């Protein structure tokens, strides 16, 4: 089954062609970083307009790269939330038009589910149940993947997402956007023990995360301690975030008894997080799964992979599918007819 994936939830326009949920025939990503860089974050209206300009050229390139014609597509999977509504709507409208013209099914996909499936897509030996840590610019979620499409959320951020904290701290330090990769690079030449920033975890609230406290602590530190290098601040901040992600993940793994840990989302590309996770996995005897950086960040191949698993299970949406800024990970109604119902 050939599934066309479409992703426009934030600042990447992406179209991919995936065969049978595992073979990536193409995965074209058109980044808007140049557009949002000077604002230090994504401007929704600008993102939407750029998606509109890019969607057809990106679609054409994805078909060309895959060596197929549009008529060869058996189903269309599109991110319908969570994300920026004005951005999501561009992908959803394109997907509906393709599905209507070809007479093939369309299925709405949760963006976070896409990140989780980047692991199932890339690591053929991975199958549920497993634990997944999703760490991106918009989300920080620790969840158990019980089965395809069935999730149990153990922890999520109460405020900023991990990637968002990286981006905001980079902005405070006068670095570029997105901040995560720049802090990652800078931290390699810094001392992670130079500054003790507060733990980015909740004192109460189980395995939830909180990154706003550490962000404020960095801001205060910058204005009160002018002598400390940006490298040291970056390394110390990064270490505090990594330790919070690590501690909650270890607690979740110990509680559930899982042996397989998957990590996904843009922050999964962070070299210090990877190193710390590899170390703990070796000590605990876990299998650790992290996709390559191109599948960690937003891309449509992961959306097509979710779509494939939904379509083979007989789940699809209809022409009433819309875009949803907030969308639960499971227990929502893919058939757009009645909209999204949160139980
Ligand atoms: O998953 P993603 O592409 O988009 C969202 O769904 O949000 O993640 C983007 C986020 C940005 O906040 C970016 O700063 C962060 O991932 N990121 C990183 C690294 N590479 C990307 N954060 C830390 N270290 C990195 N190497
Ligand atoms: Zn994402």
């Amino acid at each position: 089954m050939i599934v066309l994936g479409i992703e426009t939830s934030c600042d990447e326009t992406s179209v991919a062609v995936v065969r049978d949920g595992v073979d990536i025939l193409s995965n074209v990503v058109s980044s808007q970083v140049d557009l949002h860089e000077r604002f230090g974050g994504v401007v929704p209206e600008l993102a939407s307009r750029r998606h509109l300009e890019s969607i057809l050229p990106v679609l054409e390139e994805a078909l060309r790269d895959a060596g197929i014609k549009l008529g060869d597509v058996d189903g269309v999977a599109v991110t319908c939330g969570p994300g920026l509504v004005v951005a999501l709507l561009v992908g959803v409208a394109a997907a509906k038009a393709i599905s209507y013209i070809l007479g093939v099914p369309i299925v709405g996909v949760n963006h976070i589910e896409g990140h989780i499936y980047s692991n199932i897509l890339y690591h053929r030996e991975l199958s549920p149940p497993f634990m997944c840590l999703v760490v991106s610019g918009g989300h920080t979620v620790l969840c158990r993947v019980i089965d395809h499409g069935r999730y149990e959320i153990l922890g999520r951020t109460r405020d900023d997402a991990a990637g968002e904290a990286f981006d905001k701290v980079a902005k405070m330090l006068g670095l570029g956007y997105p901040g995560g990769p720049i802090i990652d690079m800078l931290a390699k030449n810094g001392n992670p023990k130079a500054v003790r920033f507060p733990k980015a975890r909740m004192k109460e609230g189980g395995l939830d995360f909180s990154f706003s406290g550490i962000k404020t602590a960095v801001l205060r530190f910058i204005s009160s301690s002018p002598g400390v290098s940006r490298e040291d601040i970056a390394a110390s901040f990064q270490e505090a975030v990594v330790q919070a992600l690590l501690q909650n993940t270890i607690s979740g793994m110990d509680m559930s008894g899982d042996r397989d840990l998957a990590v996904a989302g843009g922050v999964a590309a962070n070299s210090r997080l990877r190193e710390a996770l590899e170390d703990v996995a070796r000590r605990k005897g876990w299998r650790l799964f992290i996709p390559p950086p191109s599948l960690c960040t937003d891309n449509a191949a992961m959306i097509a992979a979710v779509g494939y698993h939904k379509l083979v299970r007989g789940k699809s949406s209809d022409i009433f599918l819309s875009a949803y800024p907030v969308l639960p990970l499971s227990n929502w109604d893919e058939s757009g007819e009645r909209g999204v119902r949160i139980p």
Side-chain angles (χ1 to χ4, degrees):
M1 181 194 280
I2 291 185
V3 176
L4 185 80
I6 299 179
E7 156 65 41
T8 63
S9 68
C10 193
D11 60 344
E12 253 101 34
T13 315
S14 181
V15 179
V17 178
V18 175
R19 186 192 286 132
D20 296 335
V22 284
D23 285 331
I24 303 173
L25 303 186
S26 66
N27 189 18
V28 178
V29 181
S30 170
S31 171
Q32 304 183 355
V33 163
D34 60 320
L35 189 64
H36 305 287
E37 216 167 11
R38 65 195 167 106
F39 302 104
V42 180
V43 183
E45 278 68 26
L46 295 181
S48 176
R49 210 174 303 166
R50 180 67 74 82
H51 282 309
L52 212 49
E53 288 163 6
S54 307
I55 190 77
L56 289 179
V58 171
L59 168 67
E60 279 164 10
E61 196 179 332
L63 294 172
R64 209 169 36 243
D65 280 6
I68 66 160
K69 298 189 295 297
L70 190 59
D72 296 328
V73 167
D74 299 305
V76 187
V78 60
T79 307
C80 61
L84 306 170
V85 165
V86 287
L88 289 162
L89 278 169
V90 177
V92 169
K96 282 190 199 177
I98 296 167
S99 152
Y100 184 74
I101 293 163
L102 298 180
V104 299
I106 178 174
V107 63
V109 170
N110 182 304
H111 181 77
I112 300 173
E113 204 174 3
H115 279 302
I116 294 171
Y117 270 71
S118 63
N119 277 287
I120 293 178
L121 169 65
Y122 187 73
H123 304 286
R124 295 187 185 201
E125 67 277 33
L126 178 67
S127 60
F130 62 88
M131 185 72 71
C132 190
L133 174 68
V134 181
V135 267
S136 72
H139 316 279
T140 304
V141 178
L142 179 67
C143 71
R144 285 202 75 218
V145 181
I146 301 162
D147 199 352
H148 287 287
R150 284 186 60 216
Y151 310 95
E152 181 193 357
I153 295 184
L154 303 184
R156 53 160 40 113
T157 183
R158 294 284 183 95
D159 36 59
D160 292 347
E164 192 180 355
F166 269 97
D167 295 338
K168 287 179 178 170
V169 165
K171 197 172 176 183
M172 291 173 201
L173 290 171
L175 307 168
Y177 173 83
I182 307 170
I183 289 188
D184 193 352
M185 284 301 290
L186 211 63
K188 289 187 200 301
N189 298 316
N191 175 9
K193 292 189 179 141
V195 193
R196 283 183 78 87
F197 288 122
K199 282 244 167 65
R201 300 170 65 201
M202 301 295 293
K203 283 198 191 73
E204 288 156 20
L207 299 181
D208 280 353
F209 302 93
S210 167
F211 295 103
S212 70
I214 179 173
K215 186 189 64 189
T216 314
V218 174
L219 186 62
R220 264 201 223 113
F221 185 84
I222 293 170
S223 48
S224 63
S225 317
V228 181
S229 73
R230 294 201 296 191
E231 285 80 359
D232 281 353
I233 297 173
S236 303
F237 159 75
Q238 178 176 270
E239 194 59 27
V241 172
V242 167
Q243 287 308 321
L245 295 172
L246 204 63
Q247 292 311 313
N248 283 13
T249 304
I250 293 172
S251 303
M253 290 291 280
D254 287 347
M255 267 162 46
S256 68
D258 284 316
R259 312 302 297 163
D260 287 349
L261 170 65
V263 190
V267 184
N270 183 268
S271 58
R272 174 65 193 126
L273 179 63
R274 281 176 177 243
E275 180 188 78
L277 287 166
E278 277 161 16
D279 184 49
V280 72
R282 208 176 305 115
R283 280 191 284 115
K284 295 261 190 187
W286 303 337
R287 294 198 303 170
L288 176 66
F289 300 90
I290 309 179
S294 62
L295 291 179
C296 280
T297 46
D298 288 351
N299 68 90
M302 66 187 194
I303 304 303
V306 179
Y308 167 79
H309 285 276
K310 282 184 188 282
L311 290 170
V312 293
R313 281 171 177 74
K315 283 179 179 263
S316 62
S317 307
D318 60 24
I319 209 71
F320 296 99
L321 180 72
S322 191
Y324 312 100
V326 180
L327 189 63
L329 194 49
S330 48
N331 298 327
W332 59 280
D333 183 12
E334 281 96 352
S335 68
E337 202 175 330
R338 280 155 294 163
V340 169
R341 287 180 307 157
I342 301 171

